Amino acid sequence: MPKKLAAGNWKMNGLREALGEVKALYAACPTPSCDVLICPPATLIRSMSKVCDGIQIDVGGQDCHENTSGAHTGDISAPMLADTGATYVIVGHSERRATYGETDAQIHAKTAAAWAANLTAIVCIGETLDEREADKTLHIVGGQLAKSVPDAATPTNLVIAYEPVWAIGTGKTPTLAEIEAVHTFIRTRLVERFGPQGHEMRILYGGSMNPKNATDIAAVPNVDGGLVGGASLKASDFITIVQALNA
Ligand code: PGA
C-alpha cells in the first residue's frame, strides 16, 4: 500500500503570521508516519520552505503555468515553484477549472511542466452535482483522468486527488461507499494504464474532509490520503487529520 499523504490546500488564505500554524503542526506531530504537505499561497512558499527545512513537512504550489517563462502576467512557472523550495504542485483544481476554464489538455501540459521541474503533480478530478445526479460520475472522472495525466506518470511524480466539486467547501461529503466506488474505479484505470505501478500511485480524497470524518474516510479502501482545504488552515484541526492518516 502506498504511504498516505495528508495535503493541505490553503487556497487564497494566509499572511506571514500563518507560518505559526506550520510550527504548531510540527510541534504536535514531529515524526508522522504519513507524508505531510502544505500548499500555501505562492507568497508564502519561500518562507514556509525555510520553516520546513529539515522537518517532515513538504511545501507545494497550488497551480503552475505550462510554460517555463514568458509574457504571462501574474502566472508562476513550475521551475519558479521549485526554485522557492516547493516539491509538489496542485494542478486542475476544480476552482481553477471553473473560474479560469482550465481544460484537461491544459492540465496535461501543466502536469508535464511540473515533472520537467521535478515537482510531484497532484492532479485533481471530480464531478459536479449535476453530473452525479445524472449518473455520470465515473464517465466524467474517467475522462478527466485519461486526458489530464501524461503517459510518463509514476508513483513518485503523480498523485491523484478525487474531489467531488459539490463536496468542496460545502460540509457535504459522499457516503463512504460512494467514495470507495470512485477510488476503486480510479485504481482500476491506473492499473490498466500503468500496470503494477498503478497500485502504488496515491489517490487522495478531497472535499469537506475534517477532523470528524477523517478517520472513517482514511479507512476506505484505495484512499491514500486527503487533500484538505478549510480544515488545513488551523493546526489544531489539521493535526487530527494527519493523525487519522497516520494510523
Ligand atoms: P475543502 O476543500 O476541504 O475546504 O472542502 C478541499 C479542496 O478544495 O481541495
Side-chain angles (χ1 to χ4, degrees):
M1 281 220 302
K3 191 173 181 186
K4 285 194 164 49
L5 171 63
N9 172 13
W10 281 13
K11 309 191 180 183
M12 198 173 73
N13 297 290
L15 302 176
R16 273 181 298 168
E17 64 192 17
L19 293 171
E21 298 299 326
V22 183
K23 292 176 190 159
L25 180 63
Y26 174 67
C29 200
T31 53
S33 60
C34 64
D35 288 333
V36 179
L37 166 70
I38 307 280
C39 299
T43 47
L44 286 183
I45 292 176
R46 183 76 197 130
S47 42
M48 193 178 286
S49 299
K50 285 185 184 158
V51 169
C52 295
D53 192 26
I55 67 176
Q56 277 190 41
I57 299 178
D58 292 314
V59 181
Q62 298 176 9
D63 178 48
C64 66
H65 197 276
E66 56 264 44
N67 294 337
T68 52
S69 62
H72 304 287
T73 302
D75 279 315
I76 293 176
S77 71
M80 290 170 180
L81 290 175
D83 192 42
T84 59
T87 51
Y88 285 79
V89 61
I90 299 168
V91 291
H93 190 281
S94 65
E95 286 155 14
R96 296 203 62 87
R97 289 181 187 259
T99 312
Y100 301 102
E102 287 191 8
T103 62
D104 288 324
Q106 256 177 302
I107 293 156
H108 186 283
K110 288 180 179 211
T111 304
W115 294 347
N118 286 321
L119 299 174
T120 297
I122 301 179
V123 177
C124 301
I125 56 178
E127 81 288 358
T128 63
L129 187 57
D130 282 353
E131 289 161 350
R132 175 162 283 267
E133 286 175 351
D135 215 10
K136 288 186 183 155
T137 298
L138 298 184
H139 174 72
I140 295 295
V141 166
Q144 291 175 335
L145 184 66
K147 292 185 214 145
S148 305
V149 176
D151 287 336
T154 71
T156 310
N157 69 18
L158 178 73
V159 175
I160 298 295
Y162 167 57
E163 299 205 301
V165 178
W166 51 274
I168 294 176
T170 59
K172 293 181 193 155
T173 53
T175 64
L176 298 176
E178 286 168 340
I179 294 174
E180 180 174 352
V182 180
H183 278 242
T184 302
F185 169 79
I186 294 170
R187 175 73 64 213
T188 304
R189 285 286 166 96
L190 290 174
V191 173
E192 278 167 8
R193 184 166 167 199
F194 299 109
Q197 287 209 319
H199 288 291
E200 300 303 316
M201 292 172 175
R202 294 188 280 194
I203 309 170
L204 311 185
Y205 170 77
S208 296
M209 197 165 178
N210 61 42
K212 290 204 178 95
N213 61 24
T215 303
D216 287 343
I217 293 175
V220 172
N222 287 311
V223 170
D224 306 308
L227 181 56
V228 184
S232 70
L233 295 174
K234 287 270 159 271
S236 50
D237 288 336
F238 197 48
I239 287 161
T240 312
I241 296 174
V242 170
Q243 282 164 348
L245 292 164
N246 260 338

